[in-house]
């Protein structure tokens, strides 16, 4: 599904209980070279440490979306230009970060969707902290590994299954 619109999906699946459609609060800005992306979710919970973010995008993306709960911190960036290059090269469809990014010009140059709360020039710490494949909750919704995320310029929706 390449030509989807979150507005159309929202309308079409609003009464479908099997989809368990959730709308994230409109707190995210677009930073990547792709404004529309979707795929199965991989979750990561971390705080002001992007070591595990790098670990994720160094591996095969297989069209998935990395959802990073950075605790909403706006004190440093969890994602930047080097990681965006890796994500695009390794086939990640997109990254949604409950936190900040940096290197905005470099992010826009990569063919990967990136949504985050804002931009910050400070890099994160490198402590190796973080947990993969855990349920996360931010922007008013719970997100689990294996959910499907759909994002475009109108917003972000999450479903319990793939929407066709």
């Amino acid at each position: 599904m390449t030509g989807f619109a979150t507005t159309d999906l929202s309308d079409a699946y609003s009464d479908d209980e099997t989809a368990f459609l959730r709308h994230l609060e409109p707190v995210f800005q677009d930073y990547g070279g792709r404004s529309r992306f979707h795929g199965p979710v991989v979750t990561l919970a971390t705080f002001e440490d992007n070591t595990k973010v790098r670990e994720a995008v160094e591996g095969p993306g297989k069209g998935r979306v990395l959802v990073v709960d950075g605790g909403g911190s706006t004190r440093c960036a969890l994602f930047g230009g080097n990681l965006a290059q890796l994500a695009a090269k390794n086939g990640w469809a997109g990254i949604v970060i409950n936190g900040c990014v940096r290197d905005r010009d470099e992010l826009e140059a990569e063919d990967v969707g990136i949504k985050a709360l804002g931009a910050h020039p400070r890099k994160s710490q490198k402590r190796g902290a973080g947990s993969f494949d855990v349920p996360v909750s931010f922007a008013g919704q719970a997100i689990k590994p294996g959910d499907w995320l759909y994002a475009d310029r109108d917003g972000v929706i999450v479903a319990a299954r793939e929407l066709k």
Side-chain angles (χ1 to χ4, degrees):
M1 171 186 300
T2 55
F4 72 89
T6 56
T7 52
D8 294 338
L9 292 174
S10 180
D11 293 350
Y13 290 92
S14 64
D15 295 329
D16 184 340
E17 292 182 16
T18 67
F20 188 52
L21 203 65
R22 288 151 282 157
H23 300 79
L24 272 60
E25 294 170 353
V27 295
F28 299 101
Q29 297 180 48
D30 288 305
Y31 293 98
R34 190 187 301 172
S35 63
R36 176 180 289 127
F37 59 95
H38 76 287
V41 168
V42 173
T43 61
L44 169 62
T46 188
F47 188 74
E48 297 183 356
D49 181 345
N50 77 344
T51 309
K52 299 284 185 180
V53 178
R54 173 176 282 281
E55 182 180 317
V57 298
E58 283 178 335
K62 302 177 186 173
R64 296 175 295 172
V65 176
L66 179 62
V67 174
V68 180
D69 184 358
S73 174
T74 56
R75 298 186 303 198
C76 66
L78 291 175
F79 198 81
N82 292 335
L83 298 186
Q85 280 185 325
L86 285 169
K89 179 183 126 199
N90 291 327
W92 288 89
I95 316 292
V96 176
I97 301 174
N98 184 31
C100 290
V101 296
R102 66 188 209 159
D103 304 321
R104 291 179 65 174
D105 292 337
E106 294 174 39
L107 300 181
E108 287 178 2
E110 296 302 328
D111 186 25
V112 64
I114 303 166
K115 288 193 178 274
L117 299 178
H120 198 294
R122 184 187 306 156
K123 67 180 179 177
S124 74
Q125 298 176 8
K126 311 282 192 263
R127 299 181 315 268
S131 299
F132 285 107
D133 297 323
V134 295
V136 297
S137 184
F138 58 84
Q141 297 297 331
I143 305 168
K144 303 183 316 275
D147 280 342
W148 280 75
L149 186 142
Y150 297 82
D152 63 14
R153 291 178 45 186
D154 284 319
V156 181
I157 60 176
V158 178
R161 63 177 174 81
E162 182 178 9
L163 307 177
K164 301 196 182 215

